Amino acid sequence: MILSSKYPYALAETLYSGQAFRWHPILNGEAHEGILDGVRVRLSQKEDGIHFSSESGDSFDVGFIKKYLRLEDDLQLIYSQLSSDTYFTQAKDLYEGLHILRQDPWECLVTFICSANNNIPRIKSLVKGLSETCGERIRDQFGYFYSFPEPVSISEIGELGLRKIGLGFRAKYVAKVAESVVRDEIDLKSFRFLEYQEALTELLKFPGVGDKVANCVLLFSMDKLQAFPVDVWIKRVLRENYLNDSDEPIPDTKLRDWAQIHFGEFAGYANQYLFHQRRLI
DNA sequence: ATCGAACCTCCAAT
DNA sequence: AATTGGAGGTTCG
């Protein structure tokens, strides 16, 4: 199956820019494999577009992949809205076609709780451990793989089980969030229909979710392109390029407010490009 | 309100 | 070889 799009798509940059943690290169980097909605998916970028295959073939909705990849995003519009910022423009010239992904909110929430005070290899290994411990074991033509666990499955292994996987102090948070989602029948998918501020307020009620994690979840899974996660890398970018080095430290939420006003409705796209550029220095 | 320490774990750098 | 410091943060006092 070939997915075509009007706009350039930097597939590898997108899959490995630290927003999703279950993709890995296969066939000497020719293609990428991940698990979406309990299905193993392979993607590769060719001249004529992004090639996509999975065992369920066409029965696996192509529309699903298109949504996941945000193929419909109007990059020209987004670029033009951000073009007055010279640092964004620099990053854009380097990584043209880099996209935000639209992930599953539950998986996104859990993985970004796991991201606290962790580096990317650690986050990946935790998500892998989680999936292999309480995800569903599924077989396809290439062998076995594991779906990302449902809230019930995580709540069943509890804090102790999560500690065994290596979540550390995050185990308590993930366990509580899983229990809460199960008990209160919270439909995270519906958060996407809330306004940014309202969804943010709701997410902040979860233990282990502060402003940074909430904004990641909003941006990467809830269609809030104005979300602006303030992490150490973005702080470096802001400090180095936009603020006086001599200034005293500014609280993260203030930095976010400033950035959202400065960059506007696509602040999250600016965030991803600046983050990606700074991280690869 | 604001601020710093503490929190699990892993691993690279002393 | 043991120890320290830091990693895409949040909570608690």
Side-chain angles (χ1 to χ4, degrees):
Chain A
M1 221 49 187
I2 300 174
L3 310 167
S4 59
S5 95
K6 287 196 279 186
Y7 309 105
Y9 203 107
L11 184 63
E13 299 283 356
T14 299
L15 298 179
Y16 304 117
S17 58
Q19 32 177 340
F21 299 94
R22 289 199 82 188
W23 289 98
H24 61 269
I26 53 170
L27 311 172
N28 295 318
E30 292 295 307
H32 315 283
E33 186 177 277
I35 294 131
L36 258 39
D37 203 28
V39 176
R40 191 201 308 252
V41 171
R42 292 183 162 193
L43 299 174
S44 62
Q45 189 146 37
K46 305 259 171 66
E47 294 284 321
D48 53 350
I50 294 171
H51 290 226
F52 137 68
S53 71
S54 72
E55 172 145 278
S56 43
D58 294 353
S59 75
F60 188 73
D61 193 3
V62 177
F64 191 92
I65 300 276
K66 284 189 164 183
K67 282 181 188 155
Y68 179 85
L69 295 175
R70 298 192 71 103
L71 230 48
E72 83 286 3
D73 277 350
D74 188 342
L75 282 193
Q76 298 315 322
L77 173 69
I78 292 166
Y79 289 163
S80 77
Q81 297 260 339
L82 297 169
S83 62
S84 61
D85 187 278
T86 55
Y87 297 106
F88 171 79
T89 302
Q90 278 179 33
K92 187 251 328 183
D93 290 341
L94 287 171
Y95 308 113
E96 185 151 22
L98 172 62
H99 280 240
I100 299 287
L101 293 170
R102 183 186 285 110
Q103 302 181 59
D104 174 72
W106 167 246
E107 177 170 343
C108 197
L109 177 60
V110 173
T111 57
F112 279 97
I113 292 174
C114 291
S115 79
N117 213 219
N118 263 159
N119 53 33
I120 291 176
R122 281 273 302 146
I123 302 166
K124 279 188 171 174
S125 100
L126 294 182
V127 174
K128 188 165 183 274
L130 264 176
S131 304
E132 291 175 359
T133 305
C134 45
E136 193 188 345
R137 185 177 152 95
I138 302 168
R139 185 187 176 80
D140 69 3
Q141 57 182 313
F142 303 113
Y144 287 104
F145 64 94
Y146 295 85
S147 67
F148 189 82
E150 296 298 320
V152 209
S153 317
I154 292 183
S155 73
E156 278 166 1
I157 71 164
E159 179 183 344
L160 237 59
L162 294 167
R163 280 187 180 270
K164 280 185 194 149
I165 296 168
L167 297 223
F169 64 87
R170 308 157 196 85
K172 184 167 34 175
Y173 305 144
V174 172
K176 282 190 171 182
V177 170
E179 285 167 27
S180 153
V181 168
V182 172
R183 174 169 26 86
D184 304 329
E185 299 181 354
I186 296 173
D187 178 18
L188 289 167
K189 285 193 167 70
S190 71
F191 281 33
R192 140 168 219 265
F193 302 112
L194 302 176
E195 296 298 320
Y196 168 77
Q197 191 56 51
E198 199 183 348
L200 174 60
T201 305
E202 289 305 310
L203 286 171
L204 291 176
K205 290 178 182 170
F206 290 116
V209 178
D211 195 74
K212 189 271 176 184
V213 169
N215 273 276
C216 285
V217 176
L218 290 166
L219 178 60
F220 301 136
S221 75
M222 292 175 179
D223 277 345
K224 301 297 179 271
L225 295 184
Q226 74 271 49
F228 195 91
V230 175
D231 55 54
V232 293
W233 296 97
I234 282 295
K235 276 192 259 194
R236 284 170 193 155
V237 172
L238 295 179
R239 184 156 26 82
E240 291 162 3
N241 300 336
Y242 298 85
L243 304 165
N244 263 325
D245 228 7
S246 56
D247 287 348
E248 49 185 279
I250 302 169
D252 292 356
T253 50
K254 285 222 166 191
L255 288 174
R256 173 167 66 74
D257 285 339
W258 177 85
Q260 288 176 319
I261 291 168
H262 176 73
F263 292 110
E265 61 175 321
F266 300 121
Y269 255 98
N271 185 300
Q272 193 61 17
Y273 278 73
L274 294 173
F275 169 79
H276 191 58
Q277 176 178 235
R278 183 62 182 80
R279 214 166 62 82
L280 296 185
I281 291 178

mmCIF file of all heavy atoms in Angstrom, chain A residues 18 169 208 210 213 275, chain C residues 6-11:
data_model
loop_
_atom_site.group_PDB
_atom_site.id
_atom_site.type_symbol
_atom_site.label_atom_id
_atom_site.label_comp_id
_atom_site.label_asym_id
_atom_site.label_seq_id
_atom_site.Cartn_x
_atom_site.Cartn_y
_atom_site.Cartn_z
ATOM 1 N N GLY A 18 11.758 11.291 19.158
ATOM 2 C CA GLY A 18 11.474 11.284 20.585
ATOM 3 C C GLY A 18 10.033 11.532 20.973
ATOM 4 O O GLY A 18 9.764 11.902 22.105
ATOM 5 N N PHE A 169 10.237 5.092 40.771
ATOM 6 C CA PHE A 169 9.224 5.910 41.458
ATOM 7 C C PHE A 169 8.025 6.216 40.568
ATOM 8 O O PHE A 169 6.976 6.645 41.051
ATOM 9 C CB PHE A 169 9.841 7.214 41.969
ATOM 10 C CG PHE A 169 10.353 8.148 40.903
ATOM 11 C CD1 PHE A 169 9.511 9.072 40.310
ATOM 12 C CD2 PHE A 169 11.677 8.092 40.478
ATOM 13 C CE1 PHE A 169 9.968 9.943 39.332
ATOM 14 C CE2 PHE A 169 12.144 8.957 39.504
ATOM 15 C CZ PHE A 169 11.288 9.878 38.928
ATOM 16 N N GLY A 208 1.684 12.058 38.723
ATOM 17 C CA GLY A 208 2.814 11.847 37.827
ATOM 18 C C GLY A 208 2.726 12.654 36.556
ATOM 19 O O GLY A 208 3.604 12.569 35.697
ATOM 20 N N GLY A 210 2.632 16.366 35.228
ATOM 21 C CA GLY A 210 2.781 17.798 35.433
ATOM 22 C C GLY A 210 2.608 18.504 34.106
ATOM 23 O O GLY A 210 2.145 17.923 33.123
ATOM 24 N N VAL A 213 4.589 16.786 30.923
ATOM 25 C CA VAL A 213 4.002 15.532 30.434
ATOM 26 C C VAL A 213 2.629 15.787 29.824
ATOM 27 O O VAL A 213 2.307 15.274 28.742
ATOM 28 C CB VAL A 213 3.914 14.496 31.577
ATOM 29 C CG1 VAL A 213 3.075 13.300 31.174
ATOM 30 C CG2 VAL A 213 5.312 14.050 31.988
ATOM 31 N N PHE A 275 13.286 21.444 19.295
ATOM 32 C CA PHE A 275 13.745 20.359 20.159
ATOM 33 C C PHE A 275 14.647 19.406 19.396
ATOM 34 O O PHE A 275 15.754 19.075 19.830
ATOM 35 C CB PHE A 275 12.530 19.602 20.708
ATOM 36 C CG PHE A 275 12.874 18.306 21.389
ATOM 37 C CD1 PHE A 275 13.359 18.294 22.677
ATOM 38 C CD2 PHE A 275 12.724 17.101 20.723
ATOM 39 C CE1 PHE A 275 13.684 17.108 23.303
ATOM 40 C CE2 PHE A 275 13.057 15.913 21.339
ATOM 41 C CZ PHE A 275 13.534 15.914 22.632
ATOM 42 P P DG C 6 25.715 16.695 37.004
ATOM 43 O OP1 DG C 6 26.424 17.822 36.382
ATOM 44 O OP2 DG C 6 24.946 16.881 38.250
ATOM 45 O "O5'" DG C 6 24.738 16.066 35.907
ATOM 46 C "C5'" DG C 6 25.304 15.475 34.739
ATOM 47 C "C4'" DG C 6 24.271 14.593 34.100
ATOM 48 O "O4'" DG C 6 24.114 13.368 34.864
ATOM 49 C "C3'" DG C 6 22.868 15.223 34.035
ATOM 50 O "O3'" DG C 6 22.366 15.039 32.733
ATOM 51 C "C2'" DG C 6 22.059 14.442 35.062
ATOM 52 C "C1'" DG C 6 22.733 13.086 34.981
ATOM 53 N N9 DG C 6 22.535 12.238 36.154
ATOM 54 C C8 DG C 6 22.501 12.625 37.469
ATOM 55 N N7 DG C 6 22.297 11.632 38.293
ATOM 56 C C5 DG C 6 22.188 10.521 37.477
ATOM 57 C C6 DG C 6 21.969 9.159 37.791
ATOM 58 O O6 DG C 6 21.831 8.646 38.900
ATOM 59 N N1 DG C 6 21.937 8.366 36.648
ATOM 60 C C2 DG C 6 22.084 8.823 35.363
ATOM 61 N N2 DG C 6 22.019 7.914 34.399
ATOM 62 N N3 DG C 6 22.294 10.094 35.054
ATOM 63 C C4 DG C 6 22.332 10.883 36.145
ATOM 64 P P DA C 7 21.238 15.960 32.193
ATOM 65 O OP1 DA C 7 21.848 16.858 31.205
ATOM 66 O OP2 DA C 7 20.434 16.483 33.308
ATOM 67 O "O5'" DA C 7 20.346 14.900 31.411
ATOM 68 C "C5'" DA C 7 20.976 13.933 30.569
ATOM 69 C "C4'" DA C 7 20.070 12.734 30.472
ATOM 70 O "O4'" DA C 7 20.140 11.990 31.714
ATOM 71 C "C3'" DA C 7 18.597 13.082 30.247
ATOM 72 O "O3'" DA C 7 18.106 12.364 29.125
ATOM 73 C "C2'" DA C 7 17.900 12.670 31.544
ATOM 74 C "C1'" DA C 7 18.848 11.618 32.120
ATOM 75 N N9 DA C 7 18.867 11.589 33.594
ATOM 76 C C8 DA C 7 18.966 12.648 34.440
ATOM 77 N N7 DA C 7 18.972 12.316 35.715
ATOM 78 C C5 DA C 7 18.861 10.944 35.695
ATOM 79 C C6 DA C 7 18.801 9.989 36.732
ATOM 80 N N6 DA C 7 18.855 10.286 38.025
ATOM 81 N N1 DA C 7 18.694 8.696 36.363
ATOM 82 C C2 DA C 7 18.647 8.391 35.055
ATOM 83 N N3 DA C 7 18.684 9.203 34.007
ATOM 84 C C4 DA C 7 18.797 10.472 34.395
ATOM 85 P P DG C 8 17.517 13.045 27.933
ATOM 86 O OP1 DG C 8 16.828 12.092 27.023
ATOM 87 O OP2 DG C 8 18.646 13.858 27.510
ATOM 88 O "O5'" DG C 8 16.474 14.076 28.498
ATOM 89 C "C5'" DG C 8 15.403 13.781 29.308
ATOM 90 C "C4'" DG C 8 14.456 14.955 29.299
ATOM 91 O "O4'" DG C 8 14.228 15.356 27.948
ATOM 92 C "C3'" DG C 8 13.106 14.605 29.871
ATOM 93 O "O3'" DG C 8 12.515 15.752 30.431
ATOM 94 C "C2'" DG C 8 12.312 14.148 28.678
ATOM 95 C "C1'" DG C 8 12.901 15.043 27.583
ATOM 96 N N9 DG C 8 12.935 14.338 26.308
ATOM 97 C C8 DG C 8 13.877 13.478 25.845
ATOM 98 N N7 DG C 8 13.612 13.004 24.666
ATOM 99 C C5 DG C 8 12.427 13.610 24.323
ATOM 100 C C6 DG C 8 11.645 13.497 23.155
ATOM 101 O O6 DG C 8 11.859 12.799 22.177
ATOM 102 N N1 DG C 8 10.506 14.296 23.217
ATOM 103 C C2 DG C 8 10.174 15.100 24.283
ATOM 104 N N2 DG C 8 9.047 15.784 24.180
ATOM 105 N N3 DG C 8 10.884 15.221 25.369
ATOM 106 C C4 DG C 8 11.991 14.452 25.328
ATOM 107 P P DG C 9 13.066 16.101 31.857
ATOM 108 O OP1 DG C 9 13.151 17.552 31.938
ATOM 109 O OP2 DG C 9 14.188 15.278 32.267
ATOM 110 O "O5'" DG C 9 11.808 15.603 32.677
ATOM 111 C "C5'" DG C 9 10.560 16.219 32.387
ATOM 112 C "C4'" DG C 9 9.576 15.622 33.307
ATOM 113 O "O4'" DG C 9 10.252 14.988 34.393
ATOM 114 C "C3'" DG C 9 8.656 16.666 33.890
ATOM 115 O "O3'" DG C 9 7.377 16.091 34.018
ATOM 116 C "C2'" DG C 9 9.309 17.008 35.237
ATOM 117 C "C1'" DG C 9 9.967 15.672 35.610
ATOM 118 N N9 DG C 9 11.226 15.818 36.326
ATOM 119 C C8 DG C 9 12.312 16.576 35.999
ATOM 120 N N7 DG C 9 13.289 16.477 36.847
ATOM 121 C C5 DG C 9 12.821 15.588 37.789
ATOM 122 C C6 DG C 9 13.433 15.091 38.956
ATOM 123 O O6 DG C 9 14.552 15.346 39.402
ATOM 124 N N1 DG C 9 12.608 14.204 39.636
ATOM 125 C C2 DG C 9 11.351 13.841 39.228
ATOM 126 N N2 DG C 9 10.711 12.964 39.985
ATOM 127 N N3 DG C 9 10.765 14.296 38.141
ATOM 128 C C4 DG C 9 11.558 15.173 37.477
ATOM 129 P P DT C 10 6.199 16.972 34.594
ATOM 130 O OP1 DT C 10 4.983 16.638 33.848
ATOM 131 O OP2 DT C 10 6.656 18.368 34.676
ATOM 132 O "O5'" DT C 10 6.045 16.392 36.066
ATOM 133 C "C5'" DT C 10 5.745 15.019 36.219
ATOM 134 C "C4'" DT C 10 5.608 14.686 37.689
ATOM 135 O "O4'" DT C 10 6.903 14.765 38.326
ATOM 136 C "C3'" DT C 10 4.675 15.613 38.466
ATOM 137 O "O3'" DT C 10 3.793 14.807 39.222
ATOM 138 C "C2'" DT C 10 5.608 16.455 39.335
ATOM 139 C "C1'" DT C 10 6.810 15.541 39.505
ATOM 140 N N1 DT C 10 8.127 16.207 39.663
ATOM 141 C C2 DT C 10 8.959 15.803 40.682
ATOM 142 O O2 DT C 10 8.658 14.935 41.479
ATOM 143 N N3 DT C 10 10.163 16.460 40.738
ATOM 144 C C4 DT C 10 10.604 17.451 39.902
ATOM 145 O O4 DT C 10 11.711 17.959 40.053
ATOM 146 C C5 DT C 10 9.694 17.832 38.848
ATOM 147 C C7 DT C 10 10.086 18.895 37.876
ATOM 148 C C6 DT C 10 8.515 17.198 38.779
ATOM 149 P P DT C 11 2.640 15.460 40.099
ATOM 150 O OP1 DT C 11 1.455 14.616 39.934
ATOM 151 O OP2 DT C 11 2.583 16.905 39.850
ATOM 152 O "O5'" DT C 11 3.225 15.225 41.568
ATOM 153 C "C5'" DT C 11 3.718 13.950 41.908
ATOM 154 C "C4'" DT C 11 4.407 14.004 43.261
ATOM 155 O "O4'" DT C 11 5.674 14.689 43.158
ATOM 156 C "C3'" DT C 11 3.614 14.725 44.349
ATOM 157 O "O3'" DT C 11 3.594 13.910 45.501
ATOM 158 C "C2'" DT C 11 4.390 16.030 44.578
ATOM 159 C "C1'" DT C 11 5.801 15.620 44.203
ATOM 160 N N1 DT C 11 6.666 16.705 43.671
ATOM 161 C C2 DT C 11 7.959 16.815 44.112
ATOM 162 O O2 DT C 11 8.440 16.067 44.948
ATOM 163 N N3 DT C 11 8.693 17.825 43.540
ATOM 164 C C4 DT C 11 8.255 18.719 42.587
ATOM 165 O O4 DT C 11 8.999 19.585 42.143
ATOM 166 C C5 DT C 11 6.887 18.563 42.164
ATOM 167 C C7 DT C 11 6.305 19.479 41.140
ATOM 168 C C6 DT C 11 6.163 17.573 42.718
#
